[in-house]
Amino acid sequence: MAERSTAAVDVADNGGDEPLTAQAGKATTDGAAESQKTAETTAPEDGEAKTGTKSAAKGGELSHSTPELHSGHKLARRYRLEECVTRLDGFSSWRAVDEKLRRAVGVHLLPADHPRARSVLAAARSSALLGDPRFVQVLDAVEENDLVYVVHEWLPDAVELTTLLAAGPLEPHDAYQLVEQVSLAMAAAHREGLAHLRLTPGAVLRTSTGQYRIRGLAVNAALRGISAERPQRTDTEAIGALLYAALTQRWPYESDAYGLSGLPKGVGLVAPDQVRAGVHRGLSELAMRALVNDGATASRQEPPCTTPDELAKAVAAMPRIRPPEPSFTAPPEYQRTTYQQGNYGRPAARPGMGVTQTAPTPPAPLESRTGKALKWAVSALLIAALGLGSWQVADTLLGQENGSEEPQTSQTSITGGENEKPKAPVPLAVQSAQEYAPDGAPQNAGNVGAAHDGDSTTYWRTKSYFDGPEFAPSVKQGVGIVFDLGSEKGVSNASIALRYSGDHTTISLYAADSLSPSGPVASMTQIASGQTSGSALTLTAKKPVTSRYVLLWMTAMPHSSNDEYSGTGYKQGITDVTFTG
């Protein structure tokens, strides 16, 4: 999924070198980086060596050392370095803080005269132009003060696949989600001429919402000077290795890597369902089709998958693997008390015990002094109640005898009240609004006011996506806006004017606790929900729901052609929203 934007990254002047757009073509379409003129070696990370990849040059020592920076150093008077996480081959990677936007970011740093500085800038710019939220986004790429640095997203709630596999193999549903999402994402990247070439368990992250995101697209390979003759095949084999590791908790090569044990030496590549019992047969064959690119698998003679697009189509042809049913803990068995067992006042009999002592019998409840007083009080109340009841019966009988002479107006007044017309709905004014993006990837947060300004020529828009119309599970859970009504009000109806028509748009309304809801959508009270293929949607609640904040949550969007803001894809815009209650 992607939204193209030429303003995604502000790349500094190239200093008279070849334009970055030309370099980007070399760094992405036929490999990961242009050939370097300076001889160099890249220190391989754990498990880096794989079939189909190679360093840009070998044999010499790097003549450039990693810039000597320290925690607290600021770049562009904005990015404050916090912690160095990698220092390798003349570059370093840091966790930093964007003091302007008050958020954590990641930064890659290398000297401006580093032989790979130009290819890194080109790869970062190309990756940023993709704009696909399935990848960790490049936010900035700059050459400044003899330094080249690339700034990217930092996902504090995400967990590396390396960490997940350290706890054991993934469940079949999780492994299915992994290969489906990663293959779709890489297929979209290769359609734009971008390759990864460093698709390892450390490059795949799983967010708290269960979505998988890929970091280092094109940039990681450019930093290490890695290229490939057939980049699509290299990335496909890497996805197969990830699926193999997810199913078996073993790396599909003889060497140990990424905290995983390799296969026994001399046995070759063994299918995952032969390595570990209980592995899903379809996923096992899919991993072999991605790994064995030179021929078919032995089990069913299926053709190999040599590109991410072929792998994505093979995943789509499989029966969908459902998530496991939630397990409920059975309540503890009901324990009878000693009183119910008839042993009240007596200890349980044990062998060797003497004569059991019987507890003294307590007096009857109403024989004590308090019990006698209670009996007299109850008797008095019963006598008073009988007298009052007799008087009411007599009064009723007398009223019936004289009732024909008096007009009965009470029934008429009650009936008239029931026939009164219901109150007309009252418009509810929107005081303010804010975009809701629980995954940290907003759509168009700066223009959210256009969704309730009453002007039909302005609108809030989403990004354009390759997959649709339903968001989940390939894109995200949904997109939305939280509206502030100013105070607690009963919301019964919403009229929504839409920018695009087509099959189809799905929108739900929820009662939120603030402009920035503290919990997920599933924890909110739903007001109404509906679906349309037109350009307007009216949602009506079965009964009004009282709330100050109302979340408009969109989970499906129609396919539309390109316009002045975004390319062809699944997208939607909200022209105006009005509430009544």
Side-chain angles (χ1 to χ4, degrees):
M1 61 192 190
E3 181 184 26
R4 310 291 294 187
S5 173
T6 56
V9 175
D10 181 17
V11 182
D13 179 52
N14 299 324
D17 290 346
E18 186 178 4
L20 293 184
T21 52
Q23 292 188 23
K26 295 180 181 180
T28 57
T29 56
D30 59 353
E34 62 177 340
S35 299
Q36 304 298 332
K37 298 178 182 179
T38 305
E40 59 188 66
T41 57
T42 58
E45 292 186 6
D46 186 18
E48 177 178 336
K50 289 187 62 180
T51 304
T53 62
K54 60 182 179 180
S55 298
K58 296 184 179 181
E61 291 290 337
L62 281 174
S63 60
H64 300 271
S65 60
T66 305
E68 291 298 331
L69 300 176
H70 55 82
S71 298
H73 182 88
K74 286 188 182 180
L75 301 172
R77 293 183 294 179
R78 174 177 180 177
Y79 304 111
R80 185 180 75 248
L81 302 182
E82 292 288 326
E83 178 186 6
C84 183
V85 295
T86 302
R87 193 180 296 274
L88 178 72
D89 283 357
F91 73 89
S92 59
S93 300
W94 295 74
R95 177 177 60 83
V97 174
D98 182 350
E99 294 187 337
K100 183 176 180 180
L101 298 180
R102 298 181 181 180
R103 63 179 179 181
V105 294
V107 178
H108 299 304
L109 277 166
L110 67 165
D113 59 350
H114 193 287
R116 293 195 289 270
R118 289 289 171 266
S119 60
V120 169
L121 280 174
R125 182 175 181 271
S126 300
S127 177
L129 289 175
L130 179 62
D132 190 326
R134 289 173 293 197
F135 295 92
V136 175
Q137 300 293 297
V138 172
L139 305 175
D140 211 349
V142 178
E143 180 179 356
E144 180 182 67
N145 297 331
D146 298 327
L147 283 177
V148 167
Y149 59 89
V150 176
V151 183
H152 60 85
E153 283 184 296
W154 188 274
L155 306 176
D157 67 331
V159 181
E160 288 186 3
L161 182 60
T162 308
T163 304
L164 296 174
L165 294 180
L170 301 185
E171 294 291 333
H173 174 71
D174 294 332
Y176 175 84
Q177 291 293 320
L178 168 68
V179 67
E180 180 187 45
Q181 295 182 34
V182 173
S183 60
L184 284 171
M186 289 310 305
H190 279 282
R191 283 195 292 270
E192 299 297 329
L194 291 169
H196 197 291
L197 306 183
R198 284 281 304 159
L199 202 54
T200 66
V204 178
L205 309 174
R206 188 171 74 178
T207 66
S208 57
T209 59
Q211 302 300 308
Y212 289 94
R213 299 188 66 179
I214 303 170
R215 63 182 173 189
L217 177 66
V219 176
N220 280 4
L223 284 169
R224 292 167 174 82
I226 298 174
S227 62
E229 296 179 357
R230 290 189 285 183
Q232 293 209 48
R233 178 166 169 173
T234 299
D235 282 341
T236 304
E237 183 180 351
I239 299 173
L242 294 176
L243 177 58
Y244 194 104
L247 295 173
T248 64
Q249 202 185 11
R250 300 287 292 268
W251 194 238
Y253 302 98
E254 292 185 352
S255 59
D256 298 345
Y258 312 108
L260 302 173
S261 300
L263 297 178
K265 297 183 183 300
V267 301
L269 183 60
V270 183
D273 57 358
Q274 297 178 14
V275 174
R276 189 177 72 88
V279 172
H280 189 277
R281 180 69 179 276
L283 292 176
S284 175
E285 293 179 352
L286 195 65
M288 296 299 288
R289 292 177 64 185
L291 283 169
V292 186
N293 283 318
D294 292 324
T297 60
S299 58
R300 293 177 54 191
Q301 297 298 315
E302 293 285 352
C305 298
T306 58
T307 67
D309 188 58
E310 290 179 359
L311 183 58
K313 291 178 180 177
V315 175
M318 287 179 56
R320 181 171 293 274
I321 300 176
R322 300 292 180 182
E325 294 291 334
S327 57
F328 298 97
T329 304
E333 294 185 2
Y334 182 68
Q335 300 293 329
R336 293 175 60 86
T337 63
T338 55
Y339 174 76
Q340 292 167 324
Q341 293 170 353
N343 295 331
Y344 180 80
R346 300 195 304 271
R350 296 192 302 271
M353 284 188 62
V355 179
T356 302
Q357 297 181 355
T358 304
T361 304
L366 297 181
E367 291 182 2
S368 62
R369 184 178 301 176
T370 304
K372 293 179 179 179
L374 182 61
K375 286 194 294 183
W376 284 108
V378 173
S379 300
L381 288 175
L382 289 175
I383 294 172
L386 289 173
L388 180 61
S390 302
W391 177 80
Q392 287 181 337
V393 171
D395 185 64
T396 302
L397 293 175
L398 291 175
Q400 289 179 351
E401 293 178 358
N402 300 325
S404 58
E405 300 176 0
E406 298 178 2
Q408 298 180 0
T409 58
S410 58
Q411 182 67 26
T412 304
S413 61
I414 294 176
T415 305
E418 292 178 352
N419 293 333
E420 291 180 357
K421 295 182 179 180
K423 295 181 180 180
V426 178
L428 305 178
V430 176
Q431 302 299 322
S432 62
Q434 180 173 305
E435 188 168 330
Y436 177 60
D439 59 352
Q443 303 295 298
N444 188 16
N447 199 34
V448 70
H452 63 91
D453 59 0
D455 186 352
S456 60
T457 62
T458 62
Y459 58 92
W460 169 86
R461 61 184 176 85
T462 69
K463 294 181 179 179
S464 179
Y465 299 97
F466 288 135
D467 299 326
E470 300 294 336
F471 277 137
S474 60
V475 181
K476 55 172 64 184
Q477 296 303 312
V479 297
I481 303 174
V482 179
F483 296 91
D484 181 6
L485 303 180
S487 61
E488 296 281 339
K489 296 178 181 177
V491 181
S492 60
N493 183 277
S495 297
I496 306 167
L498 303 172
R499 171 73 175 176
Y500 307 106
S501 58
D503 185 23
H504 58 269
T505 302
T506 303
I507 296 178
S508 300
L509 299 180
Y510 293 89
D513 54 9
S514 66
L515 274 177
S516 300
S518 57
V521 175
S523 65
M524 304 179 192
T525 301
Q526 187 180 84
I527 300 174
S529 181
Q531 185 179 105
T532 183
S533 296
S535 58
L537 177 62
T538 300
L539 302 178
T540 303
K542 293 182 179 179
K543 60 180 180 179
V545 176
T546 302
S547 179
R548 172 177 175 175
Y549 303 98
V550 179
L551 169 62
L552 185 152
W553 187 241
M554 190 185 312
T555 55
M557 300 185 301
H559 191 275
S560 299
S561 58
N562 64 321
D563 54 22
E564 67 273 21
Y565 292 112
S566 58
T568 301
Y570 292 92
K571 56 186 177 180
Q572 187 54 277
I574 296 180
T575 302
D576 205 25
V577 178
T578 57
F579 298 97
T580 56

